[in-house]
Every structure is written in structure tokens, then in C-alpha cells.
Amino acid sequence: MTVLEIPANGTALRAPGRKDAWSILGADVSEANTAREALEMADLRGWDVRLMGNVTASEVTIHEDGVSATEVKMPDTRATVRTNPRTGATEYLSAVGRKYTPVQIEAYENVLDLARRESGAVFHKAGAYDGGKKFFISMSLPGTVRIGGVDEHNMHLTLFGSHDGSSSNSLHIGPTRLDCGNMQRIIIAGAKHKVSVPHTASALDKLVTLEDELAVLFDWEDAYVREAERMLNTPLTIGQFEKLVTSRDLWPVPTSPTPRTRKNYEERMNILRNLFENAATQESIRGTAWAGWNAIGEYLDHYAKVNSHSVRAARSLSDTGAVTKKKTAAHRHLLALAA
């Protein structure tokens, strides 16, 4: 593969100027030597996330005599709040259940520093998004992963967390593809890609044992390379690709569509075909199942319609949402061809 440029600031090899999800949502913390420094650079320290009382819901009713408000107590629900590190103001984050226990981001500093020392990783990007409800701290692992010797990836070890009860905090391993900036989210059977810390009273005890669980994550890298090279060694025609993308768990052909639905379907198909057949980002892997999977990933990460780039980036980082489900479904279909 001819390297067109050296990636910097989120720029991909064959998609100049394109930012990956890390760069859209996070600050550059590559100069940090410790987790504390990385968190300070990204304004992730000093939040003092805490719980406040019972949540009360209000219902406003308009009637002949005017307007009245009724308050309903929600005894099984409390609110998480934080101190904004820039303004010092108390900010609402989310309503959570009675068992929810806040875990400060600083509690992970020792684990992050240990992972950095043991693996030789360097801090990469860190940031909060969705109004402070979610955050991440990413480290780049040393070396470059090359699928088939040509398709380059950077591997990251990342702490993902939330303060809204939507998910446990967890350490993930996963790659970013340099040619297109794709977040290579994929769930591989039998390969553990994350270790989690729940928001419960046992969270701090779990942190003590988390250090011993990190080693298993590095086995996921071998599984990822193995699965990717199986797809790279499997030919894929445009007809097979079109059948794949119109499967039930991706984008099935609409039945009795409205003109708008039909237009959106055709636009999406045209983009997907072009990404598979013509895009420079598939140049080194053209005509393979691996190109098909990456065309789908590139569409989801960089072309699918959303309200903002930050929403798309957040969606690409998640391993529980629709984007990862579609990438995993495509992987399953393509491996069936490779069998």
C-alpha cells in the first residue's frame, strides 16, 4: 500500500482531512505522562459526581380556572450532578436508580497508569460528551496492526464511562482503521474485548481486581486480526455486497415505501456501492469481504445521516448501540461466505 500521508490529528491515510471519532469528541492528551495529567488536560478531574435527594416530577394542567401544577415524588429515583470544572457550577446529569453509586473518574488513574506502564501505551484522546453524561480516556498501544500486511490500524485501550446509569464503566480494546478513520467496533464470539466496573457499592472493590483482568483483553487483538484476514481472503462481488446490505439486520428493501423513504433508500445504496467499488479507502483491499465490511463501517461512521458530527462520533464509539450491531451483523454474514 502506498502511504499518502502520515496520520495526524485524526487525519486518515486515504481520506485527507477526515476526523475520527476520537478527534471529534476528545482533546489531545498525548503529551500527558500520567493519567492525572491526561484528565486535567481534558477537564475530567474535580467533577465530584454526587447524588441529590429524591427526584420530583411536575405535571402542568390547563383548565377553566387557570393553570395548576401537581408534583409527584419518585422515591426510587435520584439525580446525579457534577461540579463543572471550568465554572464551578453544579450541573444536573441524569436521573438514576436507588442502587446507583457514583464512581469518580479519578478513581481509575492507578489502573490507567498501570496499563500504560505494562503495555507501553501512550495517552491519546480524552473527553466528555452528551452534556457530561459520558466520557472516555484513550491510550494508543505501541506498533501498527497490519491486516494482510497492508491495511494499517492503530490499537487503543480505552476507559469508557457514564454518569447517567446507561452503562457500567469499562476498559475496552479496539482498533481505528487508518485509511478511513473507521472505529472498528465488532463483537467477536469467544474473545473478550472489555472488563467492566458496575455503578454499585462494590465498584471500588472491583477496581482492585481490575488490574488482573487487563491481560485477557490483549487476546482480542489476535482474534480481530484472524477474523479480518479471513474476510480479506474471501472474494466479494458487487451482487453479493448488495445482498448483504439489504439483509434484514442491515437495511432491508422497504415495502410500500413513501417517496421520501424510497429516495433515502436509493441514496444510501448509491453511497454504499460507491464506497465498495470506487472509494480510495478500499483501494488496497478491493473486491474482498473485508472491503465490504469496511464500506459498511465507513458509511455508518462517516456518511449516515445524523443531527451532528458529535452524535455520529458518539454512536460510533459505543459498543452497545445500533452501529456496532450492524457492524457485527455484517461480520457474521461475511464470515458465512468465508466458511
Side-chain angles (χ1 to χ4, degrees), residues 38-206:
L39 297 185
E40 288 176 344
M41 289 179 182
D43 288 326
L44 292 177
R45 295 192 96 251
W47 285 26
D48 186 24
V49 177
R50 54 203 184 273
L51 298 170
M52 292 186 69
N54 293 329
V55 175
T56 301
S58 296
E59 180 182 42
V60 176
T61 304
I62 301 175
H63 46 77
E64 292 181 358
D65 297 328
V67 178
S68 63
T70 303
E71 291 191 344
V72 179
K73 291 184 178 180
M74 303 168 64
D76 292 331
T77 304
R78 295 176 294 173
T80 53
V81 300
R82 71 162 180 171
T83 298
N84 186 302
R86 295 182 180 178
T87 67
T90 298
E91 295 178 342
Y92 169 79
L93 294 173
S94 183
V96 295
R98 299 294 297 181
K99 294 183 179 181
Y100 185 91
T101 301
V103 179
Q104 306 305 322
I105 303 174
E106 294 95 322
Y108 290 89
E109 288 177 358
N110 289 339
V111 172
L112 291 170
D113 283 333
L114 174 69
R116 181 185 61 83
R117 291 193 302 270
E118 294 296 319
S119 67
V122 295
F123 288 104
H124 173 232
K125 306 282 184 177
Y129 56 102
D130 197 9
K133 294 178 182 179
K134 296 179 173 62
F135 65 89
F136 69 88
I137 304 99
S138 174
M139 294 180 283
S140 297
L141 295 172
T144 301
V145 175
R146 292 178 173 84
I147 306 303
V150 294
D151 195 7
E152 298 182 336
H153 294 64
N154 283 342
M155 194 68 66
H156 298 102
L157 185 65
T158 306
L159 170 67
F160 288 105
S162 71
H163 294 301
D164 61 356
S166 62
S167 64
S168 298
N169 293 349
S170 54
L171 276 159
H172 289 232
I173 190 168
T176 304
R177 185 174 182 245
L178 298 189
D179 266 349
C180 56
N182 284 2
M183 308 305 298
Q184 303 292 68
R185 287 278 182 230
I186 185 172
I187 309 301
I188 300 174
K192 191 170 185 177
H193 74 288
K194 68 178 179 180
V195 291
S196 300
V197 178
H199 290 284
T200 63
S202 64
L204 295 181
D205 293 334
K206 175 69 174 178

Side-chain angles (χ1 to χ4, degrees), residues 14 40 266:
R14 297 184 187 274
E40 288 176 344
E266 291 176 349

Side-chain angles (χ1 to χ4, degrees), residues 149-268:
V150 294
D151 195 7
E152 298 182 336
H153 294 64
N154 283 342
M155 194 68 66
H156 298 102
L157 185 65
T158 306
L159 170 67
F160 288 105
S162 71
H163 294 301
D164 61 356
S166 62
S167 64
S168 298
N169 293 349
S170 54
L171 276 159
H172 289 232
I173 190 168
T176 304
R177 185 174 182 245
L178 298 189
D179 266 349
C180 56
N182 284 2
M183 308 305 298
Q184 303 292 68
R185 287 278 182 230
I186 185 172
I187 309 301
I188 300 174
K192 191 170 185 177
H193 74 288
K194 68 178 179 180
V195 291
S196 300
V197 178
H199 290 284
T200 63
S202 64
L204 295 181
D205 293 334
K206 175 69 174 178
L207 275 172
V208 174
T209 63
L210 191 63
E211 299 173 0
D212 298 328
E213 298 184 46
L214 293 178
V216 72
L217 297 182
F218 297 97
D219 294 335
W220 186 90
E221 181 177 331
D222 294 335
Y224 173 77
V225 172
R226 182 179 65 249
E227 300 289 87
E229 294 196 343
R230 284 180 65 188
M231 288 189 279
L232 182 64
N233 293 322
T234 302
L236 190 72
T237 66
I238 183 60
Q240 290 172 311
F241 178 72
E242 290 177 345
K243 183 178 180 180
L244 165 66
V245 299
T246 55
S247 60
R248 184 178 62 181
D249 39 10
L250 289 172
W251 298 281
V253 179
T255 57
S256 304
T258 64
R260 182 174 182 177
T261 301
R262 169 58 64 180
K263 180 182 178 182
N264 289 340
Y265 169 78
E266 291 176 349
E267 287 179 353
R268 180 172 55 244

